Amino acid sequence: MSAMRAVGAVNPIERVFREAGVTGWLHAADIDDGREVALRAGEPVVLASVFKVPLLVELHRQAERGLLDLTEHVRVTAADRVGGGTGLGVMLDDATLSIRDLAYLMMAVSDNTAADVLLARVGREAVNTLLDGLGLTTTRVLHDCRDMLSGMWADTGAADQSALTQACADPEVVARLRALDPALSNRSTPREMTRLLAMIWRDEAAGAASCGAIRRLMGLQVWPHRLASGFPFDDVAVSGKTGTLPTVRNEVGVVEYPDGGRYAVAVFTRSLSTAQNQPRADAAIGTAARMAIDQLRNHADRGAVHI
Amino acid sequence: MDLVRHLGYFLVVTEELHFGNAAARLGMAQPPLSQRIRRLEEELGVRLFERSSRRVALTEAGRLLVPEAREIVARVERTRDLMSDLARGDAAVVRAGVPADLGAAVVAALIAGFRDRRPDVRLAPVEMGTAAQVAALLEGRLDVGLLRHPADVNGLDHGPVLVRHPGVLLAEGDELTAWATVHLGDLAGRDLVLFPRDAEPGLYDDTLAACRRGGFVPAEIISTDRAEFALGLVLSGTAVAFGAPAEVPGVVWRPLAGAPLAWRCSPAWRAEPGPYVRDFTAVAVQVLKDSAGMVDEGAPPTRRVAPRPATGFLA
């Protein structure tokens, strides 16, 4: 009886995830008054490319301290290229870019090669020390993109990127991937990610100029299919960073309303299906985020909404 | 035939349900009254009463006619009263144009508020859209009006501009009621019920332009200035409407995110204001704030398009 009632009472955000064939973890917070909507928001999740956000913060903090120069030019050669479908990794010739333009590619199109060049500059331990300093102690950056990919090659026995893509269509193979285990991979929780975003938007994660530069890059991300798909409105600004691995679709970001309301939201999903093209799963991230933000904007619901 | 007078006879008969008693009340003999009711029946092409030797009863058509007849007779009486006041050239009347959809409570508050402030002067409100008010003000047929902006106010002066940000009225079963706030773009593909363009040309165009900017191009626009009719269309799920919350079961109101619609209103008068215009303006501004949810217009809100790399130029 109570079980039946529980089924009938499935909260609408949970229903959106179910209908898209995914399990979802979500946290949304009003950046200015701290009210929140949470769904499994304290559980560890795999970051995938979302790890590029704390990396970007540490990059700017090192620049603030004079440890690196964002305008310094770096030569990216064939040896630096990492798998992934965008950016420097798929280009055929060596390129020279400034550190801050590498950061742009890392955020705009999730360029893995750019991310690895920057992480090598900044150092993983430095990123984790920053996270400790910000109180984000569940969030860890253990691997760069090359590590993640080579781990998946090892787990699947694939000899190259093409073989890995084919192998990851097999649910049994996907089940073996260590990259999909939060304990063994770059990880965080939805709640820690919205805390990081809120600190970036309140100029607390770094100096105000750095936070402004980070916000600019997050607003230049090109993907319209996940978080942004929930807000197809010209007067709503959406900034974000996606993360994608086999069965993993994530995005964290900030949604800003024309009335000044601004909301940090972190959505992490795992799909049952191993199909790579799942537009419904991508769109569910946007829909769930809008539902959570709609609850935060409904001032009748005061205080925390735990679901 | 004088339809209004005949409807008056009809109403007396419906109250008495006895031709003799009704004739006595009207101070006339029974045969001419019976004859007039028959002529009304001929004029309308229906039987209004079932007559037997013992009793008189309304037919279905007669029952339907009662509320209509009451309204027609009452309106004609009101019009006569108003015109006779004006004909007397009574300086103690302020002729004020008010928009059709102001609402009963606001009109009542307007009249009561003016009566409190100037007990010696009678406020004669006339229901009129902005286009008609502008013409009537310029021609001297109105002393003061409540105009919707934008309007062509050449030759007129106007008082403080008040603004209201309407929300959207939806049928209870509409899936959009799941949201606490609705975006204009969410309404895409729905029909819209809106005041007629003839009555409010400026605001009509302004509202539709804002809708198009926000991603809402109504599949069809149904024009009416009758609030009841508009609510009926909303209730049936046929169309959505913009406005203030309506206390109607089955209709749900939601605010529009970002307040994309701004409906502005101000008292207006001819370049040389009549003697009581200042009083009317003071009362109207207070009533519109207290009873119609309007506020002083602050800095005009600027609508900013937030650029996105994949949806802007040349992507």
Side-chain angles (χ1 to χ4, degrees), chain A residues 219-224 228-229 231-238 257-259 287 290-292 294-295 297-298, chain B residues 176 178-186 213-215 256-260 303-311:
Chain A
L220 288 171
Q221 181 182 233
V222 298
W223 317 126
S229 74
F231 306 88
F233 314 117
D234 283 0
D235 51 0
V236 174
V238 180
Y257 269 64
D259 58 10
T287 305
R290 183 179 173 192
M291 294 173 93
D294 187 65
Q295 288 186 34
R297 289 176 61 78
N298 185 0
Chain B
L176 291 179
W179 301 115
T181 54
V182 170
H183 294 257
L184 272 180
D186 292 330
R213 275 199 301 275
L256 286 167
R303 185 175 175 283
R304 242 180 48 81
V305 175
R308 297 185 191 179
T311 52

Side-chain angles (χ1 to χ4, degrees), chain A residues 184-301:
Chain A
L184 304 174
S185 189
N186 292 347
R187 61 179 168 266
S188 183
T189 66
R191 184 174 268 114
E192 288 200 355
M193 278 297 109
T194 61
R195 281 179 56 199
L196 177 61
L197 292 168
M199 287 188 271
I200 293 169
W201 256 253
R202 291 194 304 247
D203 289 342
E204 295 166 4
S210 297
C211 285
I214 294 166
R215 291 194 294 269
R216 169 179 172 268
L217 291 184
M218 292 189 73
L220 288 171
Q221 181 182 233
V222 298
W223 317 126
H225 60 319
R226 290 194 184 155
L227 183 58
S229 74
F231 306 88
F233 314 117
D234 283 0
D235 51 0
V236 174
V238 180
S239 309
K241 182 69 203 80
T242 57
T244 311
L245 282 170
T247 71
V248 167
R249 289 169 187 78
N250 304 332
E251 187 160 354
V252 307
V254 169
V255 178
E256 295 169 274
Y257 269 64
D259 58 10
R262 40 186 205 160
Y263 312 91
V265 57
V267 187
F268 295 83
T269 72
R270 287 287 308 267
S271 64
L272 277 171
S273 163
T274 54
Q276 292 204 2
N277 288 287
Q278 294 191 52
R280 284 159 54 81
D282 292 315
I285 290 173
T287 305
R290 183 179 173 192
M291 294 173 93
I293 288 171
D294 187 65
Q295 288 186 34
L296 293 175
R297 289 176 61 78
N298 185 0
H299 292 274
D301 295 345

Side-chain angles (χ1 to χ4, degrees), chain B residues 92-117:
Chain B
V93 174
V94 173
R95 301 161 301 175
V98 296
D101 62 350
L102 209 51
V106 181
V107 173
L110 208 54
I111 295 172
F114 192 80
R115 193 189 294 137
D116 288 348
R117 190 178 173 101

Side-chain angles (χ1 to χ4, degrees), chain A residues 9-55:
Chain A
V10 169
N11 90 61
I13 294 176
E14 186 79 280
R15 197 179 319 130
V16 166
F17 286 134
R18 279 192 200 175
E19 286 172 4
V22 302
T23 308
W25 292 257
L26 176 147
H27 193 251
D30 186 316
I31 288 176
D32 299 299
D33 72 11
R35 288 180 315 123
E36 57 172 357
V37 170
L39 178 68
R40 295 185 277 276
E43 295 180 13
V45 289
V46 169
L47 282 173
S49 285
V50 174
F51 89 88
K52 293 163 186 170
V53 179
L55 164 56

